[in-house]
Amino acid sequence: MKPFVLMIEDDPQIRRFLRAALAAEDYQFHEAFTAEEGIAQAAARQPDLVLLDLGLPDRDGLEVIRGIRQWSQMPIVVLSARGQEKDKIAALDLGADDYVAKPFAVGELLARIRAALRRSARLATDGADTVIRFGDVQADFEKRSITVRGEEVHLTPNEFKLLQVLIKHAGRVVTQRQLLNEVWGPQHTEQSQYLRVYVAQLRRKLERDPARPRHLQTEPGVGYRLSLDHTDADS
Amino acid sequence: MADTTELQIRDGSPADLAEAAELKATRSGSRASWREFAAAVIIVGFATLIALALRPYLAATNLAMVYLLGVVAVATRCNRPASVMASFLSVAAFDFFCVPPYLTLQVSEYEYLITFAGMLVVALVISAQTSRIRAQAARAVERESRTQALYRLSRRLSTKTRVFDTALAAAEVAEEVFGAPVTIFLPEEGRISFRKRTSDQLLISTAEEKIAQQVFDRGRKAGKGMENFPEAAATYVPLKGAGRMVGVLAILPGTHGQALHDDQHHLLDLFANQTALAIERTQSQNAAADARMQMETEEMRSSLLSAVSHDLRTPLASITGAASTLRSQGEKLEPAVRDELLESISEEALRLSRLVGNLLDMTRLESGMELRRDLYPLEEIVGAALQRMEPQLAGREVTATVPEDLPLVNVDDVLLGQVLVNLLENAAKYSPPGSAIEIAATATPAAVQLEVRDHGRGFAEGEEKRLFEKFYRGKSEGVRGAGLGLAICRAIVMAHRGTIEALHRDGGGAIFRIRLPLDGRPL
């Protein structure tokens, strides 16, 4: 079945090329121009994914996320302006799945949409793989063993938990607050320094060149993203 | 310079000063007269004791000399009325104790009347002359201290470049000179402002605020010791500049609450005059500086506008041209040509996007944007920048050397990342495709140093500083850019209190070196 995308965007030119791109990828779609209409259409049409512009004429796009998240976990990919890190974090913390900063290339947007759809399909079937491979790394959560290029690597419990959370959200940005909350608990959401140190340690153990990470990527000012499919681009 | 002339005009009149000194002499006469009269009586009594001791051995007329010496002593020490009194008292005592019959004022021989007359005249002349000399000396001392006070004032005021600092310095000097709390009020939009005052020492009631305002409006002194509002706690002196009122000086006279003396008032007027002129001078200097800055800003704005409009139009022209070609002749074009046009559209659009991004960054930085600092591993910031630059660095060998034990840096990660992206963009633009780029970080006890090195042609000798100026473009040919990237780098690094410099690399190429202080203190 063709995935159904709800596009909430007020700018006609952007809608125009999104339409073209989505049609070329064989997606079905519907367009909404305002926040109000977007929330209503999301409820009425139950799309597989929402593509949301944050700058809408009637209300803040963040309210659309808040509205939808009250009753649905459908993936939401946000279109935001560059440099608006605060908006991005707010959108992600409210439950958006990912964001693409304008101006963006269509290829990048489609990749994010695909990743979000994959994640939601995985959640729906509840079939989280117990063995995950990315780059040189193989993570087996059942055996709690991590190997890099076939060699067992020892992770501390917190490092392991951090990797687990990143893998759970693989492909999407996870804000620092979300990571701290999921790994260390809700009392520690402000201690982002710890998080950075742990990510740095994890990179040293898993990445070939920790200063040029292939998988444990930083989204400056926002959070981290674990990219599983970077290997394809590499080789 | 202006101050010296002012000083000469304002306090150059010796007549003023002499008058003031005279006033002081009279004033001190009325104030401490009982003491001086007592001293006169004691000295005359002492002369009488000596005269009585000498009476058996000397003729009476010679004893008169003892009394004259007493009058001289009184005249040098006491004021005029006291020495006049001493003169009369001496003649009486001489008659009473030294002229027979003793202990009466009667005179046995009338020739003594001549002695009395001569003695009185000499005594009065002595006291008059001595008083004059004393007054002159006092005047000289007074003039000296006054000149010194005014000189001190003018010297302090001449170094100030801000109106408030000028007022503050004037109030300080006035407090030293008058030994009383002084506050200067400055106006704000035509009204005396109680926010713009030099000290909070004078706790002024609402009623007195009105007095200050009235003094400001009418330009006449009021308050304690004045005709208007004598019941006020403080004396208010208008600060009248050459053109308009610039403020009000308030002085809370004497710790015991007595009003200022006349000569102090006179000095206060001179003070107020000089302060007013200094404030006015500062104001006009500031206005001139503001005007100059405004002009420079306008100039910058117009050069910015011309640079930006050129840089915006060029890619727009390419995009419009390519797109319209595709639309009108798309079908007739070879597929390869179509691809080329499409590529140029997306490339030029990216270039436009970068330019707009840079302009926005610059504007935000210049409007004093706040840093969102936290402790970060430098490695992470380097990694994120390299990731963002990946498409532009394709085909190059890029190495990043960040030691594991490098201390965390306290920075705004997004902004420092932008610095790195700009430096990498620069390196990619100014070095041949495929040549290597290195990033290297090192730490010293006080700072973390980060270098971006390329193997390009580098920059011309003498360009080291200019490279970081806004809209300055390196002298290399065939490279396009608005000349904002490095200016943004400098603005960001400076906001972090760090330094950035461009160095020549041995064997060709450029090195951009950033140093960030570890303790947040400027390097």
Side-chain angles (χ1 to χ4, degrees), chain A residues 11-26:
Chain A
D11 187 278
Q13 295 296 340
I14 294 197
R15 274 207 314 274
R16 200 177 186 182
F17 84 77
L18 286 178
R19 236 176 358 235
L22 290 176
E25 292 293 304
D26 248 4

Side-chain angles (χ1 to χ4, degrees), chain A residues 220, chain B residues 380-390 393 416-418 420-421 424:
Chain B
E380 181 172 304
I381 296 173
V382 170
L386 285 172
Q387 189 187 316
R388 209 173 125 193
M389 283 298 294
E390 210 169 72
L393 296 176
L416 189 63
Q418 186 63 47
L420 270 172
V421 164
L424 287 168

Side-chain angles (χ1 to χ4, degrees), chain A residues 37-224:
Chain A
E37 198 193 339
I39 295 174
Q41 292 294 336
R45 294 176 181 261
Q46 298 283 334
D48 296 310
L49 182 138
V50 174
L51 203 52
L52 172 69
D53 178 32
L54 284 186
L56 292 171
D58 57 337
R59 269 192 282 161
D60 194 332
L62 293 177
E63 292 196 25
V64 179
I65 305 175
R66 207 175 280 132
I68 293 176
R69 279 291 170 262
Q70 281 174 3
W71 51 269
S72 169
Q73 288 303 312
M74 66 177 68
I76 302 175
V77 174
V78 163
L79 308 177
S80 78
R82 188 182 80 107
Q84 310 280 305
E85 271 72 25
K86 251 174 41 200
D87 287 351
K88 293 177 192 164
I89 294 174
L92 294 169
D93 279 342
L94 279 174
D97 286 71
D98 213 336
Y99 67 82
V100 186
K102 285 180 190 173
F104 52 83
V106 167
E108 191 187 347
L109 174 68
L110 291 174
R112 295 290 156 78
I113 291 178
R114 273 196 300 270
L117 286 171
R118 262 204 311 270
R119 264 195 312 277
S120 96
R122 209 167 52 216
L123 283 177
T125 57
D126 203 27
D129 297 331
T130 52
V131 180
I132 303 282
R133 286 185 193 83
F134 57 93
D136 306 326
V137 183
Q138 178 174 319
D140 187 331
F141 289 108
E142 212 161 301
K143 294 185 194 154
R144 289 186 76 84
S145 99
I146 308 290
T147 55
V148 177
R149 282 181 291 271
E151 274 180 46
E152 180 91 22
V153 169
H154 174 74
L155 296 188
T156 66
N158 277 337
E159 288 168 358
F160 189 83
K161 231 162 134 189
L162 179 60
L163 181 64
Q164 216 171 3
V165 173
L166 283 168
I167 285 177
K168 188 174 101 191
H169 297 288
R172 62 168 281 208
V173 187
V174 194
T175 65
Q176 297 181 350
R177 174 181 279 274
Q178 288 169 342
L179 281 171
L180 284 163
N181 184 28
E182 288 194 43
V183 178
W184 283 271
Q187 314 90 295
H188 298 95
T189 49
E190 300 304 321
Q191 292 163 346
S192 40
Q193 287 173 36
Y194 284 132
L195 175 62
R196 282 178 219 125
V197 172
Y198 274 101
V199 172
Q201 284 169 2
L202 211 48
R203 278 195 185 119
R204 282 199 195 106
K205 291 182 180 174
L206 305 182
E207 295 275 0
R208 262 184 222 189
D209 182 355
R212 305 195 65 187
R214 294 281 140 207
H215 305 285
L216 282 164
Q217 295 171 352
T218 311
E219 294 285 324
V222 181
Y224 298 97

